Amino acid sequence: MKPARFEYLAPTSVEEAVSLLVEGGEDAKLLAGGQSLVPLMNLRLAQPSVLIDLNKVEGISSITESEDAVVIGSMARHRAVAESEVVRRFLPLLAESAGHIGYPAIRARGTIGGSIAHADPVSEFPCACLCLHAEFVLTGPAGTRQVRAEDFFVSYLTTALSPDEILTEVRFPKPSPGLGWGFLELARKTGDFALAAVAATVALSPDGTCSEASIAVAGGGDRPLRMVEAETMLKGNQGDDVIARAATAAATSSNPPSDIHSSGDFRRQMIEVLTRRVLTAAWGNARRGE
Ligand SMILES: Cc1cc2nc3c(=O)[nH]c(=O)nc-3n(C[C@H](O)[C@H](O)[C@H](O)COP(=O)(O)OP(=O)(O)OC[C@H]3O[C@@H](n4cnc5c(N)ncnc54)[C@H](O)[C@@H]3O)c2cc1C
């Protein structure tokens, strides 16, 4: 299939892109890596009359660190995130999650901003962003605003982005030293979309009990989900029993859909298994201070 006719525009600055988006109105769409949008256009499930290509926009693809944050431009490719020294050092969970996205060709073109804006509930980056307390910088005609990952994902393929806004930056607070982490997913084969994925971080007190935990699940509902009940169960505790109970709580709090790839019940069981394994891994590397 070929896409319906569209006008192609290639701005070189964020300001220009925003004003083209405002001019284009409801019929305009941003093009980032094109790895989700172009297949939808080819199938004519999306028929924008104006396509605003972000690939020539300057200043939105770098990966930098400040004193307290890692800042990733929205046009950073999945592969750049996976291979970045800064990301691997401060956000190894994010680097690990990037390596699970699709195939090498997809990772060479797809962008972190496109993945977050597309908001597929089984996608790796939205889940990792939720777990790592990311904030998204949205730029529109009235300036910029920052939205926490927790408030950004609304439902299936739906976010807090307004039609005239561009996601320009993803900001991650630098984690405290020694934070344990884990990321695991189950897919039918390497490169497929996940049936379910779980990301977790764990901080330990000197006595070995959990002082802080963050757990996020992909494939557990219509958006990535934080597992607050499971996190609360972990705090002040340690041991395999509490990890198992937290994993059961994560599965119970999920409401995974049934589709051609898997039943909801199977996904729920896998969320329990993955959560238990991810928490065990996170606890282990927190204990070793990795
Ligand atoms: C074969 C295949 C396998 C894949 N496997 C996976 C997988 O396992 N896991 C996974 O997560 N993804 C997977 N993907 C999707 C891939 O990760 C996409 O790259 C990603 O979902 C979208 O990023 P993009 O840069 O390609 O965005 P595009 O496709 O260009 O855009 C996607 C949507 O986001 C909007 N958008 C893009 N950038 C911005 C921005 N900066 N601000 C506001 N809106 C914006 C666009 O208007 C569009 O609506 C796969 C894709 C293919 C084709």
Side-chain angles (χ1 to χ4, degrees), residues 29-39 54 74 78 100-103 106 109-111 113-115 117-118 122-125 161 165-168 191-194:
K29 269 264 172 218
L30 296 167
L31 174 71
Q35 300 303 300
S36 294
L37 181 58
V38 172
L54 294 176
S74 62
H78 303 336
H100 288 272
I101 301 175
Y103 307 95
I106 308 297
R109 288 302 300 167
T111 66
S115 173
H118 190 57
V122 296
S123 277
E124 289 83 356
F125 275 153
L161 265 167
E165 284 180 319
I166 300 176
L167 169 59
T168 44
D192 274 7
F193 278 94

Side-chain angles (χ1 to χ4, degrees), residues 89-173:
R89 180 160 165 225
F90 294 106
L91 308 168
L93 188 160
L94 186 71
E96 173 71 21
S97 74
H100 288 272
I101 301 175
Y103 307 95
I106 308 297
R107 297 196 289 273
R109 288 302 300 167
T111 66
I112 188 168
S115 173
I116 292 165
H118 190 57
D120 189 321
V122 296
S123 277
E124 289 83 356
F125 275 153
C127 175
C129 286
L130 198 56
C131 179
L132 295 169
H133 314 294
E135 291 201 342
F136 305 136
V137 179
L138 314 183
T139 306
T144 64
R145 64 184 177 118
Q146 253 171 259
V147 179
R148 298 181 320 156
E150 285 199 44
D151 303 322
F152 183 79
F153 300 105
V154 176
S155 68
Y156 186 72
L157 306 186
T158 307
T159 71
L161 265 167
S162 300
D164 58 2
E165 284 180 319
I166 300 176
L167 169 59
T168 44
E169 244 174 45
V170 186
R171 304 179 71 87
F172 295 89

Side-chain angles (χ1 to χ4, degrees), residues 191-271:
D192 274 7
F193 278 94
L195 296 177
V198 181
T201 60
V202 171
L204 299 183
S205 301
D207 66 359
T209 58
C210 171
S211 57
E212 251 179 70
S214 177
I215 306 170
V217 166
D222 62 359
R223 61 188 186 283
L225 302 173
R226 263 292 284 284
M227 293 298 158
V228 178
E229 190 190 336
E231 293 169 4
T232 308
M233 290 170 93
L234 293 171
K235 281 180 206 159
N237 292 306
Q238 62 178 318
D240 292 344
D241 281 358
V242 74
I243 287 179
R245 275 188 278 119
T248 305
T252 312
S253 308
S254 302
N255 186 20
S258 295
D259 57 26
I260 53 165
H261 304 296
S262 158
S263 70
D265 281 346
F266 179 70
R267 281 197 168 96
R268 190 178 288 107
Q269 284 173 38
M270 290 306 103
I271 288 167

